[in-house]
Amino acid sequence: MANITLYTKNGCPQCRMTKHFLETHNVAFVEHNINDEPQYIDYLKEQGFQAVPVLEADGLESFSGFRPAELQKLAI
């Protein structure tokens, strides 16, 4: 199984939808909320992201936003 990291923030509908998708498909992931862990903000900016959710997974190109087609690849 891929190592999956999800970066989120409070009050983010796309973050909630992404988390819900992963949880309902029993996909294990580590979550970092940038409201609680602001040290990840600079990391995400360095990677070229300006918005959350951002998902990083082994074997998958990192992406931001709620992308069910990409998430489905992790649910297999």
Side-chain angles (χ1 to χ4, degrees):
M1 169 151 304
N3 290 319
I4 300 167
T5 304
L6 179 64
Y7 299 90
T8 63
K9 71 176 182 179
N10 298 339
C12 167
Q14 290 190 6
C15 298
R16 281 195 309 272
M17 291 188 299
T18 301
K19 268 180 67 170
H20 178 74
F21 183 99
L22 294 172
E23 290 169 349
T24 56
H25 289 84
N26 297 314
V27 177
F29 64 96
V30 174
E31 179 182 4
H32 293 294
N33 183 310
I34 61 171
N35 293 109
D36 301 329
E37 301 173 276
Q39 66 269 25
Y40 288 106
I41 295 171
D42 287 338
Y43 169 75
L44 292 172
K45 287 180 180 178
E46 289 169 8
Q47 302 303 310
F49 295 105
Q50 297 181 3
V52 290
V54 171
L55 187 136
E56 297 178 329
D58 294 342
L60 201 64
E61 187 171 338
S62 299
F63 63 87
S64 67
F66 178 61
R67 305 207 6 215
E70 292 298 311
L71 293 170
Q72 191 64 46
K73 295 175 184 177
L74 300 169
I76 297 172

